[in-house]
Amino acid sequence: MAESVEPPRFDLARRIRWPQEDNKIPREIFTDPDLFRAEMDGVFTGPVWVLVGHESEIPKPGDYKTISMGAAPVIVIRGANARVSVLVNACAHRGTRLVEGPSGNVLRGGFRCIYHMWTYDTDGRLIAVSLPEDFPQEFRKEDYGLPRARVDTYRGAIFATLNDDAPPLLEYLAELTGGLDKVLEDGALEFLGSIRVIFRANWKLYVENIYDGYHVTALHTGFQVVRLRSHGGERLVPNYERNGHLWGRSRSTPVNQLTPALRDMSLFDTRTKPTTDHNMMVVFPSGVVTDYFDTIQMRYVIPLELDRTQIEFAFFGRQHDPEEARLHRVRQGPEVLGPAGAITLEDAAALERVQLSATARGENVVLKGTPKRFPPYRHVDEAPIRHFYQAYRRLMGFHSDDH
Amino acid sequence: MLTSLVDAQGRKQAALELLVRYIRIVDDPRRLAEWPDLFGDSAEYVVITRENHERGLPIAVIRDDTKDRIIDRVTIIKNFWGAGGRAEDHHYNESWPRHIVGPAWVEFTESGEARLGANFAVYATVQVDPEPRLLALGEYQDVVDFSGEIPKFKSKKVILDTSVLQDVFVYPL
């Protein structure tokens, strides 16, 4: 068979040699621009469900937010009938970006393209075009709606897929629903706001960092300063044979047993839950859901370029929160798990350094916890990273016949 | 009448001098420990995106709403952030901030409170990157407290123009 008829991603899989051992990661996958483009199709429009938001971010009819599924800009919108849709943010005529900015409401007026004044309703139906005289006779507005992603929600979390072969959402999430149940409860959240920041690292480095329990005490010095430790816990990889999500759970030292290194220790306090248990999850490939201390957070990972990734940190409270609980979450969330927070900031420094030297050929290696072949792992293990890359390799067509 | 005019003029000058003192300190990471002294005892320091500010969403990038939290910020920068060195004289990412501020304006409210505003750009020169980075762009919306011996900030609100931060924030803006 001629090479030209094979999909390009198989060429890449041949060009970049993935070592036989599944705990080794070739650095080229962080520096190859062709691979980055192939990932936008192979991963983000593959048979995956991408976490794109929570219903509480768009509570009213006509409310929308913008986000990207890989390289595809989309609008997540609550329609006039209250149903959530995910529409491609490009006019069906000449591909113009329809809405700018992170959020808004278009209940009145819908989306009107500035270029030729084509107008769409909140369900993405084309409802008006300017001066349609001399259009081909067969032109019908019904044929020019905005492309829509398949959408499903789980306890208010909104997932979308651009691939007809994606399994039903519940099948895709599998046992990860156990963790989502704990964090999202009945789904009745209040959106408190987002912070978006650019990490100067490849998107995979950002995501694999969440699977890595090893760096937590090494890198995040703040935990050592206050002597905060995890007392037990585990790193599960639900559905690892297929999708490689992560569900890390552990129990941390209560605030009254910490070294009071700060005057205000509410950063590390758990007030809204009976225990200090928390969950940290990755919905493969690019969603993060956590309830660290009292901070309920989702993160949306958006690859911008090979070495630039936008992370949106979305913070939530519960609708039934008393005022003091709400204020506590507002004061704690960004201060712990935000881009100026006591903990998260260091990940940016570490990942940037990994990216900077990824041009040195060779392999990154995963060791801690790897003698164990399958989950559950200990919460301090980095071994779950392997399962992220197993899922990734399957989607991208890298050979994985070694396990 | 004359005294109050002189008073207003003096306060305006004092507010602008406070701003300059602030910039001199936040531009020099070695003087970080002096930063909390620029704030009064019931002061707040808030960094928030214009998007959240205008939508009324409470999530701020930084919400140091008590003097304790302002003092804690120095502890976090010096003792918590290990990357780039654990000792307090090391700088995270070896970054050097530079504030470009202006114009600055002072307005008095009916109650005599001085509102100090200024446009700013903060660049960071980072050792890992040969190019200086535009870290933040926006506006200060401050309130100056004249009740003590020297004027201090009663409130310092840093409104960021961009919804997407170009980098993580280490030192105060």
Short mmCIF file of all heavy atoms in Angstrom, two decimals, chain A residues 122-183:
data_model
loop_
_atom_site.label_atom_id
_atom_site.label_comp_id
_atom_site.label_asym_id
_atom_site.label_seq_id
_atom_site.Cartn_x
_atom_site.Cartn_y
_atom_site.Cartn_z
N THR A 122 -30.09 30.65 19.64
CA THR A 122 -29.30 30.07 20.73
C THR A 122 -29.11 28.55 20.57
O THR A 122 -28.34 27.95 21.30
CB THR A 122 -29.96 30.35 22.09
OG1 THR A 122 -31.32 29.89 22.05
CG2 THR A 122 -29.94 31.83 22.42
N ASP A 123 -29.83 27.95 19.63
CA ASP A 123 -29.59 26.53 19.33
C ASP A 123 -28.67 26.35 18.13
O ASP A 123 -28.45 25.24 17.68
CB ASP A 123 -30.92 25.81 19.05
CG ASP A 123 -31.74 25.63 20.31
OD1 ASP A 123 -31.12 25.37 21.36
OD2 ASP A 123 -32.97 25.78 20.25
N GLY A 124 -28.17 27.46 17.59
CA GLY A 124 -27.25 27.38 16.47
C GLY A 124 -27.93 27.32 15.11
O GLY A 124 -27.26 27.12 14.10
N ARG A 125 -29.26 27.48 15.10
CA ARG A 125 -29.96 27.48 13.80
C ARG A 125 -29.76 28.82 13.11
O ARG A 125 -29.87 29.87 13.74
CB ARG A 125 -31.45 27.23 14.00
CG ARG A 125 -31.82 25.79 14.28
CD ARG A 125 -33.33 25.63 14.34
NE ARG A 125 -33.88 26.36 15.48
CZ ARG A 125 -34.33 25.77 16.60
NH1 ARG A 125 -34.32 24.45 16.70
NH2 ARG A 125 -34.80 26.49 17.59
N LEU A 126 -29.50 28.76 11.81
CA LEU A 126 -29.39 30.00 11.04
C LEU A 126 -30.79 30.57 10.85
O LEU A 126 -31.66 29.91 10.29
CB LEU A 126 -28.73 29.71 9.69
CG LEU A 126 -28.56 30.90 8.75
CD1 LEU A 126 -27.62 31.95 9.35
CD2 LEU A 126 -28.01 30.43 7.39
N ILE A 127 -31.00 31.80 11.34
CA ILE A 127 -32.35 32.35 11.26
C ILE A 127 -32.44 33.54 10.30
O ILE A 127 -33.53 33.92 9.89
CB ILE A 127 -32.91 32.76 12.65
CG1 ILE A 127 -31.91 33.65 13.40
CG2 ILE A 127 -33.23 31.51 13.47
CD1 ILE A 127 -32.46 34.19 14.71
N ALA A 128 -31.31 34.14 9.95
CA ALA A 128 -31.39 35.26 9.01
C ALA A 128 -30.06 35.44 8.29
O ALA A 128 -28.99 35.20 8.86
CB ALA A 128 -31.73 36.56 9.76
N VAL A 129 -30.14 35.82 7.02
CA VAL A 129 -28.93 36.21 6.28
C VAL A 129 -29.25 37.54 5.60
O VAL A 129 -30.41 37.83 5.32
CB VAL A 129 -28.53 35.17 5.21
CG1 VAL A 129 -28.27 33.82 5.85
CG2 VAL A 129 -29.59 35.04 4.13
N SER A 130 -28.22 38.33 5.35
CA SER A 130 -28.47 39.61 4.71
C SER A 130 -28.51 39.42 3.19
O SER A 130 -27.77 38.59 2.64
CB SER A 130 -27.37 40.61 5.10
OG SER A 130 -26.13 40.16 4.62
N LEU A 131 -29.37 40.15 2.54
CA LEU A 131 -29.43 40.22 1.08
C LEU A 131 -29.26 38.89 0.36
O LEU A 131 -28.30 38.69 -0.37
CB LEU A 131 -28.32 41.20 0.59
CG LEU A 131 -28.29 42.56 1.25
CD1 LEU A 131 -27.05 43.33 0.84
CD2 LEU A 131 -29.55 43.36 0.91
N PRO A 132 -30.19 37.96 0.57
CA PRO A 132 -30.01 36.63 -0.02
C PRO A 132 -30.37 36.54 -1.50
O PRO A 132 -30.35 35.44 -2.05
CB PRO A 132 -30.94 35.75 0.83
CG PRO A 132 -32.01 36.68 1.30
CD PRO A 132 -31.40 38.05 1.38
N GLU A 133 -30.68 37.69 -2.14
CA GLU A 133 -30.98 37.64 -3.58
C GLU A 133 -29.74 37.13 -4.32
O GLU A 133 -28.61 37.41 -3.92
CB GLU A 133 -31.34 39.03 -4.12
CG GLU A 133 -32.49 39.73 -3.40
CD GLU A 133 -32.04 40.39 -2.11
OE1 GLU A 133 -30.86 40.75 -2.00
OE2 GLU A 133 -32.88 40.50 -1.18
N ASP A 134 -29.95 36.41 -5.37
CA ASP A 134 -28.87 35.86 -6.20
C ASP A 134 -28.08 34.75 -5.51
O ASP A 134 -27.01 34.39 -5.98
CB ASP A 134 -27.90 36.96 -6.67
CG ASP A 134 -28.61 38.01 -7.51
OD1 ASP A 134 -29.57 37.61 -8.23
OD2 ASP A 134 -28.25 39.19 -7.44
N PHE A 135 -28.56 34.25 -4.38
CA PHE A 135 -27.98 33.02 -3.84
C PHE A 135 -28.39 31.88 -4.76
O PHE A 135 -29.40 31.99 -5.48
CB PHE A 135 -28.54 32.74 -2.43
CG PHE A 135 -27.78 33.40 -1.31
CD1 PHE A 135 -27.16 34.62 -1.48
CD2 PHE A 135 -27.69 32.79 -0.07
CE1 PHE A 135 -26.47 35.23 -0.44
CE2 PHE A 135 -27.01 33.38 0.98
CZ PHE A 135 -26.40 34.60 0.79
N PRO A 136 -27.67 30.78 -4.77
CA PRO A 136 -28.15 29.62 -5.54
C PRO A 136 -29.56 29.26 -5.09
O PRO A 136 -29.89 29.39 -3.90
CB PRO A 136 -27.16 28.52 -5.17
CG PRO A 136 -25.94 29.23 -4.70
CD PRO A 136 -26.41 30.52 -4.10
N GLN A 137 -30.34 28.76 -6.04
CA GLN A 137 -31.74 28.50 -5.74
C GLN A 137 -31.93 27.48 -4.63
O GLN A 137 -32.87 27.54 -3.86
CB GLN A 137 -32.43 27.99 -7.01
CG GLN A 137 -33.69 28.75 -7.29
CD GLN A 137 -34.28 28.36 -8.63
OE1 GLN A 137 -33.87 27.38 -9.26
NE2 GLN A 137 -35.23 29.15 -9.07
N GLU A 138 -30.98 26.54 -4.55
CA GLU A 138 -31.15 25.45 -3.58
C GLU A 138 -30.73 25.86 -2.17
O GLU A 138 -30.78 25.06 -1.25
CB GLU A 138 -30.38 24.20 -4.03
CG GLU A 138 -28.87 24.37 -4.10
CD GLU A 138 -28.39 24.91 -5.46
OE1 GLU A 138 -29.21 25.52 -6.18
OE2 GLU A 138 -27.21 24.75 -5.78
N PHE A 139 -30.30 27.13 -1.98
CA PHE A 139 -29.88 27.56 -0.64
C PHE A 139 -31.04 27.48 0.33
O PHE A 139 -32.13 27.99 0.09
CB PHE A 139 -29.37 29.02 -0.68
CG PHE A 139 -29.09 29.58 0.69
CD1 PHE A 139 -27.90 29.28 1.35
CD2 PHE A 139 -30.03 30.38 1.35
CE1 PHE A 139 -27.66 29.78 2.62
CE2 PHE A 139 -29.79 30.88 2.62
CZ PHE A 139 -28.60 30.57 3.25
N ARG A 140 -30.81 26.76 1.43
CA ARG A 140 -31.81 26.68 2.49
C ARG A 140 -31.12 26.98 3.81
O ARG A 140 -30.07 26.41 4.11
CB ARG A 140 -32.41 25.27 2.56
CG ARG A 140 -33.38 24.92 1.43
CD ARG A 140 -33.40 23.40 1.16
NE ARG A 140 -33.14 22.62 2.36
CZ ARG A 140 -34.08 22.04 3.11
NH1 ARG A 140 -35.35 22.18 2.80
NH2 ARG A 140 -33.75 21.33 4.17
N LYS A 141 -31.71 27.84 4.61
CA LYS A 141 -31.09 28.20 5.89
C LYS A 141 -30.87 26.99 6.78
O LYS A 141 -29.90 26.91 7.52
CB LYS A 141 -31.97 29.24 6.62
CG LYS A 141 -31.93 30.61 5.96
CD LYS A 141 -32.27 31.72 6.94
CE LYS A 141 -33.74 31.82 7.24
NZ LYS A 141 -34.51 32.58 6.23
N GLU A 142 -31.78 26.01 6.68
CA GLU A 142 -31.67 24.81 7.51
C GLU A 142 -30.35 24.08 7.29
O GLU A 142 -29.90 23.33 8.16
CB GLU A 142 -32.82 23.82 7.21
CG GLU A 142 -34.20 24.37 7.49
CD GLU A 142 -34.78 25.08 6.27
OE1 GLU A 142 -34.20 26.12 5.86
OE2 GLU A 142 -35.80 24.63 5.74
N ASP A 143 -29.74 24.27 6.14
CA ASP A 143 -28.49 23.55 5.84
C ASP A 143 -27.26 24.25 6.42
O ASP A 143 -26.15 23.74 6.31
CB ASP A 143 -28.30 23.43 4.32
CG ASP A 143 -29.40 22.60 3.68
OD1 ASP A 143 -30.01 21.78 4.41
OD2 ASP A 143 -29.66 22.78 2.47
N TYR A 144 -27.45 25.42 7.00
CA TYR A 144 -26.29 26.21 7.45
C TYR A 144 -26.34 26.55 8.93
O TYR A 144 -26.00 27.64 9.34
CB TYR A 144 -26.17 27.47 6.59
CG TYR A 144 -25.74 27.17 5.17
CD1 TYR A 144 -26.67 26.90 4.18
CD2 TYR A 144 -24.38 27.10 4.84
CE1 TYR A 144 -26.29 26.60 2.88
CE2 TYR A 144 -23.99 26.80 3.55
CZ TYR A 144 -24.94 26.55 2.58
OH TYR A 144 -24.54 26.25 1.30
N GLY A 145 -26.77 25.58 9.70
CA GLY A 145 -26.68 25.76 11.16
C GLY A 145 -25.23 25.63 11.60
O GLY A 145 -24.38 25.16 10.85
N LEU A 146 -24.96 26.05 12.83
CA LEU A 146 -23.60 25.90 13.36
C LEU A 146 -23.36 24.42 13.69
O LEU A 146 -24.23 23.77 14.27
CB LEU A 146 -23.42 26.73 14.62
CG LEU A 146 -23.58 28.24 14.47
CD1 LEU A 146 -23.48 28.93 15.83
CD2 LEU A 146 -22.53 28.79 13.51
N PRO A 147 -22.20 23.90 13.32
CA PRO A 147 -21.89 22.52 13.72
C PRO A 147 -21.98 22.41 15.25
O PRO A 147 -21.56 23.30 15.98
CB PRO A 147 -20.46 22.32 13.24
CG PRO A 147 -20.25 23.34 12.17
CD PRO A 147 -21.11 24.51 12.55
N ARG A 148 -22.56 21.30 15.72
CA ARG A 148 -22.76 21.11 17.15
C ARG A 148 -21.97 19.89 17.59
O ARG A 148 -21.86 18.91 16.89
CB ARG A 148 -24.22 20.85 17.52
CG ARG A 148 -25.27 21.41 16.60
CD ARG A 148 -26.63 20.78 16.85
NE ARG A 148 -26.97 20.76 18.25
CZ ARG A 148 -27.62 21.74 18.87
NH1 ARG A 148 -28.00 22.81 18.21
NH2 ARG A 148 -27.89 21.65 20.15
N ALA A 149 -21.47 19.98 18.81
CA ALA A 149 -20.88 18.80 19.42
C ALA A 149 -21.99 18.00 20.09
O ALA A 149 -23.05 18.54 20.40
CB ALA A 149 -19.85 19.21 20.46
N ARG A 150 -21.76 16.72 20.28
CA ARG A 150 -22.67 15.93 21.10
C ARG A 150 -22.43 16.35 22.55
O ARG A 150 -21.28 16.49 22.96
CB ARG A 150 -22.33 14.46 20.93
CG ARG A 150 -23.50 13.51 20.85
CD ARG A 150 -22.99 12.19 20.31
NE ARG A 150 -22.93 11.17 21.36
CZ ARG A 150 -22.06 10.16 21.33
NH1 ARG A 150 -21.16 10.07 20.37
NH2 ARG A 150 -22.09 9.26 22.29
N VAL A 151 -23.50 16.56 23.30
CA VAL A 151 -23.37 17.07 24.66
C VAL A 151 -24.06 16.13 25.63
O VAL A 151 -25.13 15.60 25.33
CB VAL A 151 -24.01 18.48 24.78
CG1 VAL A 151 -23.92 19.01 26.20
CG2 VAL A 151 -23.34 19.45 23.82
N ASP A 152 -23.45 15.94 26.77
CA ASP A 152 -24.14 15.25 27.86
C ASP A 152 -23.62 15.87 29.16
O ASP A 152 -22.54 16.48 29.18
CB ASP A 152 -23.86 13.74 27.82
CG ASP A 152 -24.94 12.94 28.55
OD1 ASP A 152 -25.80 13.55 29.21
OD2 ASP A 152 -24.92 11.70 28.45
N THR A 153 -24.41 15.74 30.20
CA THR A 153 -23.97 16.29 31.48
C THR A 153 -23.96 15.20 32.53
O THR A 153 -24.70 14.21 32.42
CB THR A 153 -24.89 17.43 31.97
OG1 THR A 153 -26.21 16.91 32.17
CG2 THR A 153 -24.94 18.57 30.97
N TYR A 154 -23.09 15.38 33.51
CA TYR A 154 -23.10 14.49 34.66
C TYR A 154 -23.06 15.35 35.91
O TYR A 154 -22.08 16.05 36.15
CB TYR A 154 -21.92 13.51 34.64
CG TYR A 154 -22.03 12.49 35.76
CD1 TYR A 154 -22.88 11.41 35.63
CD2 TYR A 154 -21.33 12.67 36.95
CE1 TYR A 154 -23.03 10.50 36.66
CE2 TYR A 154 -21.48 11.76 37.99
CZ TYR A 154 -22.34 10.68 37.83
OH TYR A 154 -22.49 9.79 38.86
N ARG A 155 -24.12 15.32 36.67
CA ARG A 155 -24.24 16.15 37.88
C ARG A 155 -23.86 17.60 37.60
O ARG A 155 -23.11 18.23 38.36
CB ARG A 155 -23.40 15.56 39.01
CG ARG A 155 -23.90 14.19 39.43
CD ARG A 155 -23.31 13.73 40.73
NE ARG A 155 -23.74 12.38 41.04
CZ ARG A 155 -24.90 12.07 41.64
NH1 ARG A 155 -25.74 13.01 41.98
NH2 ARG A 155 -25.20 10.82 41.88
N GLY A 156 -24.32 18.09 36.49
CA GLY A 156 -24.10 19.49 36.14
C GLY A 156 -22.84 19.74 35.35
O GLY A 156 -22.70 20.78 34.72
N ALA A 157 -21.89 18.80 35.39
CA ALA A 157 -20.66 18.98 34.60
C ALA A 157 -20.99 18.72 33.14
O ALA A 157 -21.64 17.73 32.81
CB ALA A 157 -19.59 18.01 35.08
N ILE A 158 -20.54 19.64 32.27
CA ILE A 158 -20.89 19.56 30.85
C ILE A 158 -19.74 18.92 30.08
O ILE A 158 -18.59 19.38 30.16
CB ILE A 158 -21.18 20.96 30.28
CG1 ILE A 158 -22.25 21.67 31.11
CG2 ILE A 158 -21.62 20.87 28.82
CD1 ILE A 158 -22.37 23.17 30.79
N PHE A 159 -20.06 17.87 29.34
CA PHE A 159 -19.07 17.20 28.51
C PHE A 159 -19.52 17.28 27.06
O PHE A 159 -20.71 17.25 26.76
CB PHE A 159 -18.96 15.72 28.91
CG PHE A 159 -18.45 15.51 30.31
CD1 PHE A 159 -19.33 15.48 31.39
CD2 PHE A 159 -17.09 15.36 30.54
CE1 PHE A 159 -18.85 15.29 32.69
CE2 PHE A 159 -16.61 15.17 31.83
CZ PHE A 159 -17.49 15.14 32.91
N ALA A 160 -18.54 17.37 26.16
CA ALA A 160 -18.87 17.43 24.74
C ALA A 160 -17.90 16.56 23.97
O ALA A 160 -16.75 16.35 24.38
CB ALA A 160 -18.77 18.88 24.25
N THR A 161 -18.39 16.05 22.86
CA THR A 161 -17.52 15.26 21.98
C THR A 161 -17.80 15.64 20.53
O THR A 161 -18.94 15.93 20.15
CB THR A 161 -17.70 13.74 22.18
OG1 THR A 161 -16.79 13.05 21.30
CG2 THR A 161 -19.12 13.29 21.89
N LEU A 162 -16.75 15.66 19.73
CA LEU A 162 -16.87 15.97 18.31
C LEU A 162 -16.80 14.69 17.48
O LEU A 162 -16.65 14.74 16.26
CB LEU A 162 -15.77 16.95 17.89
CG LEU A 162 -15.85 18.33 18.54
CD1 LEU A 162 -14.54 19.10 18.39
CD2 LEU A 162 -17.01 19.13 17.94
N ASN A 163 -16.89 13.53 18.16
CA ASN A 163 -16.66 12.27 17.47
C ASN A 163 -17.87 11.35 17.66
O ASN A 163 -18.29 11.09 18.79
CB ASN A 163 -15.40 11.62 18.05
CG ASN A 163 -14.92 10.45 17.23
OD1 ASN A 163 -15.67 9.52 16.97
ND2 ASN A 163 -13.67 10.50 16.82
N ASP A 164 -18.42 10.87 16.54
CA ASP A 164 -19.60 10.01 16.60
C ASP A 164 -19.31 8.67 17.29
O ASP A 164 -20.22 8.00 17.75
CB ASP A 164 -20.13 9.74 15.19
CG ASP A 164 -20.71 10.99 14.57
OD1 ASP A 164 -21.08 11.91 15.34
OD2 ASP A 164 -20.79 11.06 13.33
N ASP A 165 -18.05 8.29 17.32
CA ASP A 165 -17.70 6.99 17.89
C ASP A 165 -17.49 7.03 19.41
O ASP A 165 -17.20 6.00 20.01
CB ASP A 165 -16.43 6.44 17.24
CG ASP A 165 -16.65 6.12 15.78
OD1 ASP A 165 -17.82 5.82 15.42
OD2 ASP A 165 -15.69 6.20 14.99
N ALA A 166 -17.59 8.22 20.01
CA ALA A 166 -17.43 8.27 21.46
C ALA A 166 -18.52 7.43 22.11
O ALA A 166 -19.69 7.52 21.72
CB ALA A 166 -17.50 9.71 21.95
N PRO A 167 -18.17 6.62 23.10
CA PRO A 167 -19.19 5.80 23.77
C PRO A 167 -20.12 6.71 24.58
O PRO A 167 -19.83 7.89 24.76
CB PRO A 167 -18.36 4.91 24.70
CG PRO A 167 -17.11 5.69 24.97
CD PRO A 167 -16.84 6.48 23.72
N PRO A 168 -21.24 6.19 25.07
CA PRO A 168 -22.08 7.02 25.94
C PRO A 168 -21.25 7.56 27.10
O PRO A 168 -20.32 6.89 27.56
CB PRO A 168 -23.15 6.05 26.44
CG PRO A 168 -23.18 4.96 25.42
CD PRO A 168 -21.79 4.85 24.88
N LEU A 169 -21.59 8.77 27.57
CA LEU A 169 -20.77 9.44 28.59
C LEU A 169 -20.56 8.56 29.82
O LEU A 169 -19.44 8.46 30.34
CB LEU A 169 -21.42 10.77 29.00
CG LEU A 169 -20.68 11.53 30.12
CD1 LEU A 169 -19.28 11.94 29.67
CD2 LEU A 169 -21.47 12.76 30.55
N LEU A 170 -21.61 7.91 30.31
CA LEU A 170 -21.48 7.12 31.53
C LEU A 170 -20.49 5.97 31.34
O LEU A 170 -19.72 5.64 32.24
CB LEU A 170 -22.83 6.57 31.96
CG LEU A 170 -23.72 7.56 32.72
CD1 LEU A 170 -25.03 6.91 33.11
CD2 LEU A 170 -23.01 8.10 33.96
N GLU A 171 -20.50 5.41 30.16
CA GLU A 171 -19.56 4.33 29.87
C GLU A 171 -18.13 4.88 29.82
O GLU A 171 -17.18 4.25 30.28
CB GLU A 171 -19.94 3.72 28.52
CG GLU A 171 -19.25 2.42 28.18
CD GLU A 171 -19.65 1.98 26.77
OE1 GLU A 171 -20.89 1.91 26.49
OE2 GLU A 171 -18.76 1.74 25.94
N TYR A 172 -18.00 6.09 29.28
CA TYR A 172 -16.67 6.72 29.17
C TYR A 172 -16.12 7.05 30.55
O TYR A 172 -14.95 6.81 30.84
CB TYR A 172 -16.81 8.00 28.33
CG TYR A 172 -15.50 8.72 28.10
CD1 TYR A 172 -14.59 8.26 27.15
CD2 TYR A 172 -15.18 9.87 28.81
CE1 TYR A 172 -13.40 8.92 26.93
CE2 TYR A 172 -13.99 10.54 28.59
CZ TYR A 172 -13.10 10.06 27.65
OH TYR A 172 -11.92 10.72 27.43
N LEU A 173 -16.98 7.59 31.42
CA LEU A 173 -16.51 7.97 32.75
C LEU A 173 -16.25 6.75 33.63
O LEU A 173 -15.36 6.77 34.48
CB LEU A 173 -17.54 8.88 33.44
CG LEU A 173 -17.81 10.23 32.78
CD1 LEU A 173 -18.96 10.95 33.47
CD2 LEU A 173 -16.55 11.11 32.82
N ALA A 174 -17.04 5.72 33.43
CA ALA A 174 -16.92 4.48 34.21
C ALA A 174 -16.87 4.80 35.71
O ALA A 174 -17.62 5.64 36.20
CB ALA A 174 -15.73 3.66 33.74
N GLU A 175 -15.91 4.20 36.43
CA GLU A 175 -15.90 4.34 37.89
C GLU A 175 -15.52 5.74 38.35
O GLU A 175 -15.58 6.05 39.54
CB GLU A 175 -14.93 3.35 38.56
CG GLU A 175 -15.04 1.92 38.11
CD GLU A 175 -14.04 1.65 37.01
OE1 GLU A 175 -14.34 1.93 35.83
OE2 GLU A 175 -12.93 1.20 37.31
N LEU A 176 -15.11 6.59 37.42
CA LEU A 176 -14.80 7.96 37.80
C LEU A 176 -16.05 8.67 38.36
O LEU A 176 -15.94 9.64 39.10
CB LEU A 176 -14.25 8.74 36.60
CG LEU A 176 -13.60 10.08 36.93
CD1 LEU A 176 -12.38 9.91 37.80
CD2 LEU A 176 -13.23 10.83 35.65
N THR A 177 -17.21 8.17 38.01
CA THR A 177 -18.44 8.77 38.54
C THR A 177 -18.44 8.75 40.07
O THR A 177 -19.03 9.64 40.69
CB THR A 177 -19.70 8.04 38.03
OG1 THR A 177 -19.58 6.64 38.32
CG2 THR A 177 -19.88 8.25 36.54
N GLY A 178 -17.77 7.76 40.67
CA GLY A 178 -17.71 7.70 42.13
C GLY A 178 -17.08 8.96 42.71
O GLY A 178 -17.56 9.52 43.70
N GLY A 179 -16.01 9.43 42.09
CA GLY A 179 -15.34 10.64 42.55
C GLY A 179 -16.16 11.88 42.21
O GLY A 179 -16.27 12.81 43.02
N LEU A 180 -16.73 11.89 41.02
CA LEU A 180 -17.54 13.04 40.61
C LEU A 180 -18.74 13.20 41.53
O LEU A 180 -19.13 14.31 41.88
CB LEU A 180 -17.98 12.90 39.15
CG LEU A 180 -16.85 12.92 38.12
CD1 LEU A 180 -17.39 12.58 36.73
CD2 LEU A 180 -16.15 14.28 38.09
N ASP A 181 -19.32 12.07 41.96
CA ASP A 181 -20.45 12.12 42.90
C ASP A 181 -20.04 12.83 44.19
O ASP A 181 -20.79 13.63 44.74
CB ASP A 181 -20.94 10.71 43.24
CG ASP A 181 -21.62 10.03 42.06
OD1 ASP A 181 -21.94 10.73 41.08
OD2 ASP A 181 -21.82 8.81 42.12
N LYS A 182 -18.84 12.52 44.66
CA LYS A 182 -18.39 13.10 45.92
C LYS A 182 -18.18 14.61 45.79
O LYS A 182 -18.52 15.38 46.69
CB LYS A 182 -17.08 12.45 46.38
CG LYS A 182 -17.28 11.04 46.93
CD LYS A 182 -16.00 10.56 47.59
CE LYS A 182 -16.02 9.06 47.87
NZ LYS A 182 -17.18 8.59 48.58
N VAL A 183 -17.60 15.04 44.68
CA VAL A 183 -17.28 16.46 44.54
C VAL A 183 -18.51 17.27 44.12
O VAL A 183 -18.79 18.33 44.67
CB VAL A 183 -16.14 16.66 43.51
CG1 VAL A 183 -15.89 18.14 43.27
CG2 VAL A 183 -14.86 15.99 43.99
#
